Amino acid sequence: MAFLDIKPVNEGHTLVISKAHYEGIFDIPGELLGKIHQVTKTVATAAKEAVHADGVSIVQQNGKAANQEVFHIHVHIIPKFTGQKTNPFNKDELKIVDHKQLDITAAKIKKSL
């Protein structure tokens, strides 16, 4: 499944997850991990196009030491723009986005799929 992050780093910041619960990369079966990354590639391509980004960061954290906060495997797709700083998770700067804006962004991404 894929859905937009409610506290996006940039417009189009999307999460790709498995429906089945796996904490992280160490316990998910390889075949399912491969499917998650196939979906990640498809959605990343659409999100980049939809928001006119210069690139995307793909982030997947595993374990508390790696700053994983939600212990269900998920991949962040973060559209990025030239000159943007590389640390995407400064929580003090991230704001909750209105659902109406998320719906507009989701429609743009769906159109690019």
Side-chain angles (χ1 to χ4, degrees):
M1 296 189 318
F3 52 89
L4 292 170
D5 195 307
I6 196 165
K7 290 178 101 176
V9 173
N10 288 322
E11 182 183 14
H13 180 168
T14 305
L15 301 173
V16 177
I17 69 167
S18 69
K19 288 183 182 180
H21 176 68
Y22 297 98
E23 187 171 299
I25 200 167
F26 303 113
D27 63 340
I28 189 169
E31 183 177 310
L32 182 54
L33 181 63
K35 288 180 182 178
I36 287 173
H37 282 282
Q38 287 172 345
V39 171
T40 297
K41 179 180 179 180
T42 300
V43 174
T45 301
K48 179 180 179 286
E49 180 181 316
V51 302
H52 309 288
D54 299 311
V56 297
S57 289
I58 305 296
V59 180
Q60 200 274 312
Q61 298 157 304
N62 296 279
K64 190 173 184 175
N67 296 320
Q68 183 179 9
E69 293 181 346
V70 176
F71 291 89
H72 181 94
I73 193 160
H74 59 286
V75 178
H76 292 264
I77 299 168
I78 305 169
K80 300 293 285 276
F81 301 88
T82 301
Q84 193 171 22
K85 293 182 181 180
T86 58
N87 181 2
F89 294 106
N90 185 347
K91 294 177 195 224
D92 295 333
E93 296 177 9
L94 300 179
K95 307 277 188 252
I96 293 176
V97 173
D98 181 72
H99 283 278
K100 290 178 185 176
Q101 182 58 49
L102 293 175
D103 290 342
I104 291 167
T105 301
K108 290 195 286 187
I109 293 171
K110 286 178 187 176
K111 186 177 178 183
S112 294
L113 285 173

